[in-house]
Amino acid sequence: VKPAVPVNSVQERLRRLLFLVPFVARHPGRPVHEVAQALGLSREALLEELDLLAMVGRPPFQPDDFIDIYVEDDCVYVEFDQRFSAPPRLTVPEGVALAAAAKLLEADGSEALRAALSRLLAVLPPEAAPRLAELSARLQVSSDAPPGVAPLTQAIARHVEVRFDYLTAGREAPEPRHVQPWELFSHRGQWYLSGFCLTRQEERLFRVDRLARVEVTTSAFTPPEGKSARGVPDVAARGGEVRVRFSKRVAAGVVERFGDAARLVGDGEVEVQVPGDSERWLTGWVLSFGGEARVLEPEHARQAVARAARAALERYRP
Amino acid sequence: VEIRSAGVLRGRSALKVCYDRGLQSAMERTERLLDLIALLLDAKQPVSFAALRKTFPDDYGGSPEASERKFERDKAELLELGIPLTFSQETDEQPAGYAVDRARYYLPPLDLKPEELAVLYAAGSAALGSGAFPGASDLAFALRKLSFFADGLPPVPKVRLEVGAAAHSRELPQRLEALWAALSARKSVDLEYYSPHRREVTVRRVDPWGLALRRGTWTLVGHCHLRAAQRTFQVHRIRSLTVNASKPKSPDYEIPADFSLDAAVAAWPWQHQLHPPLEVTVALTGALAPLTGQLFPGEGVATPQGREVTLQVTHLDGLRSYVLSLGAEARITAPEQARAGTVGALEQVLAAHGGAA
């Protein structure tokens, strides 16, 4: 697909090349595919960039005056060049984009993130400050990550176990858990942690907003290869076993969210099928439509929603 | 500094077969700018424009006016890349000329602690991996620079993120990139915007003022020429988008000094500016009480049953829907109209599921 705005290819290439030379100098002899991957390029595109670099030099443009970057046995080398010992500092848009992304994992108490970010922005040249402030004000990411996200990220990166208190549906008191954390992910604004729960001795999926007092331990573990989270209630996925019908009033919003997976039925109503593996999620979701959504089948899911509505109504009675 | 013609060896690049003249001139320009940076990083003293003309006769050799214009464009490009290019006046020690301030050019070691690097890298990678983050290329380079001094290639922590609605989201990455480019240069955009509630597509010219991500949804705020007022747009509802391509370097509009993106975009479902503000109280009991600070802004106050929060609500339906989704441990308690509306909604749910209250 053609980008809506043509990227400034001259700038993009310059930025790449000014990074490429110091990168190869710091990591000499890396295979071509690894260097290409680090630069986000295809193998062919990287080789083209190396060709271009071979043309770059300084007066008097004698053979020794050119950047000596070359491929040997499919590995990339560069003759050390003092001028390109390190890449240029961050540009303003780079700083703004990173600061906005950092917000995604920021929550109360994520000191590490804030400290890292301020140190990073401090290396921007002082005259960049007005532009930094201007651009930062135009890109904003709300920090809706619950507090557990930052320490869990560290634990996942360092492969160490964590302990936390977990609130399970239907329980009054939180339960202490000891977990090997594998993966964190955010699905439509909701954060989940997958891992091996040592307390329960099985693979578990936790909702991060239901856990408290996260403690990062020093006990290391080996994460399983290629494990990826399962059991996320991907409401947009087709083929779930719970059939839900929506009234005309909310149909447009449902169609927007589910796309082709929403089936139009008579009178402007729509129907979708969602997984029923999380009763708690399903009942909360159906309740949120306040009568504009109804579970058609299976019967146990329909009853679960009725039970949840009855329980909530009881709380409203004095 | 002895500077001789670069023409002979630079001629090598002319041997490359370039069918596309635009591509060829872009390549020559990239090469020239790199040469320029290499030269200035290496120079012991500032290099005068006259010397640059001699060094790059193919590029700056034309008429003085034309070559000066060309050099001005090159300078602007370098400054935009963050290259600290300076001009110094003639002194007793050195001639007037250009230099790259080496002390401000190089990325210094960042001395990040491993956990700081891990969490910052994770955040950036998750944003990139979501496929829907504006300034993706900027972000990618920020991450490369961030980890430049780290030992070995950095690990990619397993943190994933999904944003945007399911339908019509294939175009989301391009839309965000285009809007980011428009915002950075303050260029107007022409939109075809779909409203699911009115079920119609409208064509509008918008001056983008800001982009915000809230709970997985990207929102554009700007001045809408069609409505002649400030408006918000959900980016996934944009059906087509064109950035004004004329005069890319000169901004089309100013952003009002008192504009606040934070105030313009609802952070919570009850903050959409649809109705006059209403003060609503929500009570949290049981397992939800200790989570008050995560589920609502602020910790609220303690009550015998749990905790209570008071909110300024401009979209009551949004709050009702949110509270209902939390289940029986969350209740709207005041004012009476809001409480009764929630009870009514629950009775409807029950009736729709064959239960009797």
Side-chain angles (χ1 to χ4, degrees):
Chain A
V1 190
K2 213 173 139 199
V5 176
V7 285
N8 185 339
S9 63
V10 172
Q11 260 206 32
E12 204 56 26
R13 289 192 82 182
L14 273 175
R15 167 153 80 167
R16 203 148 59 210
L17 295 168
L18 290 174
F19 182 84
L20 177 58
V21 181
F23 181 82
V24 174
R26 199 171 163 85
H27 306 283
R30 293 244 179 208
V32 171
H33 72 90
E34 257 185 41
V35 177
Q37 197 184 2
L39 270 292
L41 293 174
S42 68
R43 184 189 163 84
E44 293 68 33
L46 175 69
L47 294 175
E48 247 175 67
E49 298 301 52
L50 296 181
D51 274 353
L52 178 81
L53 279 172
M55 307 288 173
V56 174
R58 62 184 145 185
F61 295 102
Q62 293 302 312
D64 284 350
D65 298 325
F66 288 87
I67 293 175
D68 197 3
I69 192 161
Y70 56 95
V71 176
E72 208 173 86
D73 295 334
D74 211 42
C75 292
V76 191
Y77 301 86
V78 65
E79 277 307 309
F80 184 71
D81 187 325
Q82 192 59 51
R83 293 167 302 173
F84 296 110
S85 54
R89 293 181 177 214
L90 265 68
T91 66
V92 169
E94 287 166 5
V96 170
L98 188 63
K103 276 272 179 196
L104 291 172
L105 300 191
E106 187 180 298
D108 294 339
S110 44
E111 286 309 318
L113 197 61
R114 260 193 293 270
L117 200 59
S118 64
R119 206 165 312 165
L120 201 74
L121 294 181
V123 307
L124 283 172
E127 62 272 17
R131 177 84 174 140
L132 180 68
E134 187 197 346
L135 268 192
S136 306
R138 292 191 214 149
L139 180 63
Q140 211 185 51
V141 169
S142 70
S143 23
D144 49 19
V149 163
L152 290 172
T153 302
Q154 288 176 30
I156 291 170
R158 286 159 50 194
H159 305 320
V160 290
E161 295 168 3
V162 289
R163 290 177 184 278
F164 52 78
D165 290 346
Y166 194 62
L167 281 162
T168 318
R171 280 175 195 265
E172 284 290 311
E175 214 189 26
R177 297 292 184 101
H178 186 188
V179 172
Q180 297 181 334
W182 294 342
E183 189 177 24
L184 261 175
F185 54 93
S186 161
H187 178 77
R188 310 219 187 287
Q190 190 65 253
W191 284 91
Y192 300 87
L193 168 74
S194 75
F196 188 80
C197 178
L198 295 162
T199 315
R200 293 283 174 91
Q201 284 299 311
E202 61 184 352
E203 254 182 79
R204 280 285 165 122
L205 192 64
F206 302 95
R207 267 182 61 165
V208 181
D209 63 347
R210 295 281 181 270
L211 52 87
R213 300 202 307 155
V214 180
E215 183 204 333
V216 179
T217 71
T218 49
S219 329
F221 70 95
T222 309
E225 282 294 313
K227 271 278 184 208
S228 199
R230 57 177 180 86
V232 193
D234 181 359
V235 297
R238 286 162 198 261
E241 61 276 32
V242 180
R243 210 146 61 86
V244 187
R245 185 176 290 192
F246 296 85
S247 74
K248 194 176 172 181
R249 217 184 122 214
V250 296
V254 174
V255 170
E256 179 177 43
R257 184 158 173 189
F258 285 80
D260 298 339
R263 271 193 320 280
L264 296 169
V265 289
D267 291 340
E269 295 197 327
V270 293
E271 232 179 80
V272 300
Q273 275 172 259
V274 295
D277 49 4
S278 164
E279 185 180 298
R280 185 198 176 102
W281 171 82
L282 180 76
T283 54
W285 185 60
V286 174
L287 282 179
S288 74
F289 288 91
E292 306 290 337
R294 69 178 196 280
V295 174
L296 300 178
E297 61 178 11
E299 179 59 18
H300 68 84
R302 191 188 64 74
Q303 282 177 11
V305 175
R307 262 200 315 278
R310 204 173 286 121
L313 273 171
E314 268 163 30
R315 297 292 177 120
Y316 277 95
R317 304 245 156 76
Chain B
V1 188
E2 194 203 355
I3 296 169
R4 268 185 281 151
S5 165
V8 183
L9 274 161
R10 285 175 60 80
R12 282 199 290 173
S13 65
L15 293 176
K16 288 191 183 171
V17 184
C18 290
Y19 296 103
D20 182 333
R21 290 182 77 183
L23 179 69
Q24 180 172 11
S25 91
M27 279 195 50
E28 283 171 1
R29 187 142 186 252
T30 310
E31 205 178 310
R32 175 172 78 245
L33 288 167
L34 273 173
D35 280 345
L36 203 56
I37 297 167
L39 170 73
L40 294 175
L41 276 175
D42 211 29
K44 302 279 183 292
Q45 49 179 229
V47 182
S48 70
F49 183 55
L52 289 175
R53 271 169 63 96
K54 253 188 247 162
T55 314
F56 302 100
D58 295 344
D59 303 293
Y60 302 136
S63 77
E65 295 78 27
S67 59
E68 205 154 318
R69 270 201 307 276
K70 204 169 180 182
F71 182 60
E72 285 302 318
R73 279 199 301 275
D74 286 354
K75 259 167 48 186
E77 195 88 62
L78 294 182
L79 289 172
E80 220 166 304
L81 260 173
I83 310 289
L85 185 67
T86 56
F87 178 79
S88 44
Q89 299 295 338
E90 188 178 341
T91 65
D92 291 345
E93 286 86 38
Q94 58 188 38
Y98 294 94
V100 167
D101 185 346
R102 279 183 286 264
R104 286 188 300 139
Y105 172 85
Y106 297 109
L107 181 72
L110 297 165
D111 297 325
L112 293 174
K113 292 186 201 136
E115 66 267 26
E116 292 173 343
L117 180 65
V119 79
L120 202 50
Y121 201 81
S125 311
L128 262 185
S130 76
F133 207 81
S137 178
D138 292 320
L139 186 55
F141 270 97
L143 290 179
R144 287 178 195 127
K145 290 178 182 180
L146 184 68
S147 49
F148 182 78
F149 293 105
D151 294 327
L153 297 173
V156 180
K158 290 194 160 185
V159 179
R160 286 191 293 127
L161 194 77
E162 287 173 23
V163 297
H168 314 300
S169 58
R170 278 181 294 271
E171 308 280 329
L172 193 60
Q174 287 106 289
R175 302 269 187 272
L176 288 169
E177 283 305 322
L179 286 170
W180 180 235
L183 269 166
S184 309
R186 272 185 281 134
K187 298 304 287 181
S188 301
V189 294
D190 287 311
L191 307 179
E192 282 178 0
Y193 188 69
Y194 175 72
S195 158
H197 304 296
R198 285 199 218 96
R199 298 177 196 218
E200 62 176 17
V201 173
T202 48
V203 179
R204 300 149 186 257
R205 169 155 288 206
V206 175
D207 300 340
W209 289 354
L211 260 182
L213 178 65
R214 298 273 191 274
R215 299 189 172 263
T217 301
W218 281 103
T219 303
L220 163 73
V221 186
H223 175 79
C224 173
H225 290 237
L226 181 69
R227 306 281 181 232
Q230 178 184 320
R231 283 288 184 272
T232 59
F233 305 92
Q234 298 204 0
V235 178
H236 66 268
R237 291 182 182 160
I238 296 175
R239 291 291 164 82
S240 80
L241 186 139
T242 320
V243 181
N244 177 19
S246 72
K247 300 185 187 162
K249 301 276 173 193
S250 72
D252 290 340
Y253 55 89
E254 290 294 325
I255 298 172
D258 61 354
F259 170 69
S260 155
L261 187 54
D262 203 22
V265 186
W268 296 89
W270 58 87
Q271 290 175 340
H272 295 283
Q273 305 284 329
L274 296 175
H275 305 289
L278 178 70
E279 197 171 277
V280 180
T281 310
V282 176
L284 295 168
T285 54
L288 290 188
L291 298 172
T292 307
Q294 291 179 39
L295 297 170
F296 291 91
E299 291 292 334
V301 294
T303 64
Q305 289 79 36
R307 298 196 80 82
E308 217 170 68
V309 286
T310 304
L311 308 162
Q312 292 299 316
V313 175
T314 46
H315 181 40
L316 188 56
D317 285 353
L319 177 66
R320 183 183 302 138
S321 178
Y322 181 72
V323 169
L324 286 173
S325 78
L326 296 176
E329 305 283 20
R331 274 180 305 140
I332 292 178
T333 55
E336 179 51 28
Q337 89 190 71
R339 196 196 79 90
T342 314
V343 170
L346 281 168
E347 281 166 348
Q348 279 185 40
V349 175
L350 195 53
H353 291 83

